[in-house]
């Protein structure tokens, strides 16, 4: 399978390859993981390999991978493979009607030109309970040629009866190094920018790609740096302005807190290692070193605790402006002139 397209998920790729080679294909799979990990690409690559002539059931030796050259492989890439179906919906969720029309009724028709008839259901966590129940009989007694692949960000929403009849495959966070290298190769960005995006992606390649090319992330980073570097001498007018500026990034407040944490992580690194420290905020090395002189280890620990408290307050729907103001005042108190 095309492992270069599904970064860091070789455990799932190998599972699918081995299943194809050994002829042990399950009738139902769940691929579980955050948006941005490549679930759809992984499902499509699996479907492509299953339908590839190199893996035909009558072949004694199967590669487990798609050749990319046969008619089926080309059809899969152009989304025209007649025996690979994608369940879609128009409303807010996947209801009974979608499952009955696009899956239950259609699955009784034998494959047009391939050994399998494959159904890929993106965002399957949006299936209603009624829709899941409608699908259950099909999963319990599927035709021999049927393969159903559910893609979800939260497998916990499925009925226990659905979970028990599917092979559950969980996506894993990808290492920062792998993401950084992919960003540098794919987008031609510098090591510093790629490393920053990789760090704040939480191991999610899709999120890292968005951060790497996002002007908003650059603006958010500048907002945090400007706020922190001016905080020791800031009066209430400046702090109020910083709170308003932070409010422009409400949707990215998780990244706002992560950037703050990383800033003080850099200060800890400088404190512990001096000039040998490898920093995230390399471009602000001088400012980091200056603040390192103003903070003790105890101060940094208290600041990190204040950031955690602010995150909890935001999650508890405490007023945004008040939460950020309290946080900035707490940080300012710990930064000595």
């Amino acid at each position: 399978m095309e492992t270069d397209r599904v970064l860091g998920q070789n455990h799932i790729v190998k599972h699918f390859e081995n299943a194809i080679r050994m002829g042990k294909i399950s009738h139902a799979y769940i691929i579980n993981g955050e948006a941005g990990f490549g679930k759809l690409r992984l499902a499509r690559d699996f479907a492509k390999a299953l339908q590839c002539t190199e893996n035909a059931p009558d072949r004694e030796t199967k590669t487990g991978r798609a050749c990319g050259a046969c008619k089926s492989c080309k059809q899969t890439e152009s989304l025209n493979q007649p025996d690979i179906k994608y369940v879609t919906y128009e409303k807010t969720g996947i209801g009974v009607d979608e499952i009955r029309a696009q899956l239950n009724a259609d699955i009784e028709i034998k494959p047009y030109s391939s050994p399998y008839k494959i159904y890929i259901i993106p965002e399957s966590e949006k299936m209603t309970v009624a829709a899941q129940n409608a699908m259950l009989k099909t999963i319990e007694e599927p035709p021999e040629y049927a393969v159903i692949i559910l893609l979800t960000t939260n497998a916990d929403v499925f009925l226990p009866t659905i979970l028990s009849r599917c092979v559950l495959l969980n996506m894993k966070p990808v290492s920062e190094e792998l993401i950084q290298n992919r960003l540098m190769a794919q987008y031609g960005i510098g090591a510093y920018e790629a490393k920053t995006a990789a760090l704040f992606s939480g191991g999610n390649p899709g999120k890292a790609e968005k951060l790497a090319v996002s002007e908003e992330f650059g603006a958010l980073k500048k907002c945090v740096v400007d706020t922190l570097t001016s905080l020791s001498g800031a009066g209430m007018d400046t702090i109020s302005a910083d709170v308003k500026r932070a409010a422009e990034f409400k949707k990215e407040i998780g990244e706002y807190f992560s950037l703050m944490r990383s800033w003080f992580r850099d200060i800890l690194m400088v404190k512990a290692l001096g000039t040998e420290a490898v920093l995230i905020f390399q471009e602000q090395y001088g400012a980091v070193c200056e603040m390192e002189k103003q903070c003790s280890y105890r101060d940094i620990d208290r600041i990190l605790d204040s950031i955690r408290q602010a995150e909890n307050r935001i999650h508890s729907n405490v007023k945004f402006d008040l939460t950020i103001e309290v946080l900035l005042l707490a940080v300012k108190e710990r930064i000595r002139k």
Side-chain angles (χ1 to χ4, degrees):
M1 292 176 65
E2 301 171 48
T3 55
D4 61 315
R5 294 194 179 186
V6 193
L7 193 66
Q9 306 304 323
N10 283 349
H11 64 295
I12 297 180
V13 172
K14 292 299 181 185
H15 177 96
F16 284 146
E17 286 181 357
N18 290 335
I20 293 171
R21 280 198 293 264
M22 297 172 68
K24 295 184 177 180
I25 309 300
S26 174
H27 286 296
Y29 295 89
I30 295 172
I31 304 179
N32 181 49
E34 290 180 14
F37 271 96
K39 296 188 297 292
L40 181 57
R41 183 72 255 181
L42 196 56
R44 188 174 294 156
D45 285 350
F46 177 43
K48 182 178 176 182
L50 269 178
Q51 307 288 44
C52 177
T53 55
E54 294 292 316
N55 298 309
D58 58 353
R59 289 182 68 99
E60 287 189 15
T61 304
K62 302 177 180 64
T63 66
R65 303 184 176 200
C67 71
C70 69
K71 181 180 178 181
S72 177
C73 284
K74 291 178 179 178
Q75 287 178 324
T76 303
E77 278 303 306
S78 62
L79 303 182
N80 289 315
Q81 220 286 1
D83 296 315
I84 299 176
K85 308 280 188 176
Y86 298 86
V87 174
T88 61
Y89 64 96
E90 295 181 357
K91 299 177 182 178
T92 56
I94 304 172
V96 173
D97 292 342
E98 285 82 6
I99 294 300
R100 286 176 177 167
Q102 298 180 53
L103 179 63
N104 294 356
D106 189 80
I107 208 168
E108 297 301 326
I109 304 170
K110 290 184 178 180
Y112 176 74
S113 60
S114 306
Y116 298 96
K117 199 163 187 182
I118 302 169
Y119 295 83
I120 298 174
I121 309 180
E123 299 183 310
S124 58
E125 71 277 359
K126 294 184 179 179
M127 279 194 296
T128 63
V129 171
Q132 291 185 51
N133 279 316
M135 185 177 66
L136 184 57
K137 189 174 189 326
T138 299
I139 288 183
E140 288 175 332
E141 301 174 5
E144 191 64 29
Y145 50 77
V147 177
I148 300 168
I149 308 173
L150 307 176
L151 311 181
T152 182
T153 57
N154 182 11
D156 292 337
V157 303
F158 293 130
L159 297 171
T161 45
I162 297 285
L163 287 170
S164 66
R165 287 165 174 80
C166 296
V167 174
L168 176 61
L169 300 168
N170 290 306
M171 308 289 273
K172 292 181 179 178
V174 182
S175 73
E176 290 174 16
E177 183 179 2
L178 276 177
I179 294 176
Q180 180 181 349
N181 291 339
R182 167 66 69 87
L183 292 176
M184 292 170 67
Q186 189 167 327
Y187 293 100
I189 61 177
Y192 173 69
E193 290 81 3
K195 180 180 179 180
T196 302
L199 176 73
F200 292 105
S201 70
N204 185 326
K207 183 177 179 181
E209 289 179 13
K210 290 181 180 178
L211 293 175
V213 299
S214 169
E215 293 182 3
E216 287 79 8
F217 183 66
L220 172 59
K221 186 178 174 185
K222 186 176 186 306
C223 169
V224 171
V225 170
D226 289 349
T227 295
L228 293 176
T229 53
S230 64
L231 200 54
S232 63
M236 281 309 300
D237 288 346
T238 301
I239 289 176
S240 295
D242 288 334
V243 170
K244 289 181 180 179
R245 192 174 174 190
E248 297 174 9
F249 300 98
K250 275 187 180 181
K251 291 182 179 179
E252 295 81 26
I253 193 60
E255 282 81 14
Y256 181 93
F257 290 134
S258 292
L259 284 163
M260 269 196 161
R261 254 193 308 270
S262 296
W263 178 268
F264 288 101
R265 172 263 185 200
D266 276 2
I267 290 175
L268 275 174
M269 293 294 288
V270 170
K271 220 172 219 347
L273 302 176
T275 57
E276 300 299 317
V278 178
L279 305 185
I280 297 167
F281 290 91
Q282 294 173 3
E283 294 179 346
Q284 291 80 30
Y285 180 79
V288 170
C289 290
E290 183 62 30
M291 191 171 289
E292 181 271 328
K293 299 172 186 175
Q294 300 171 327
C295 300
S296 66
Y297 284 109
R298 181 176 175 80
D299 289 327
I300 296 170
D301 184 61
R302 291 293 182 87
I303 287 170
L304 292 173
D305 188 55
S306 295
I307 295 171
R308 283 191 293 270
Q309 290 178 24
E311 282 185 298
N312 291 335
R313 287 174 183 139
I314 291 294
H315 291 149
S316 300
N317 294 318
V318 176
K319 190 176 178 181
F320 182 90
D321 289 2
L322 177 61
T323 298
I324 302 301
E325 182 179 301
V326 169
L327 171 61
L328 296 183
L329 287 171
V331 175
K332 176 180 168 61
E333 185 180 347
R334 293 288 165 180
I335 301 174
R336 303 185 182 92
K337 291 186 180 180

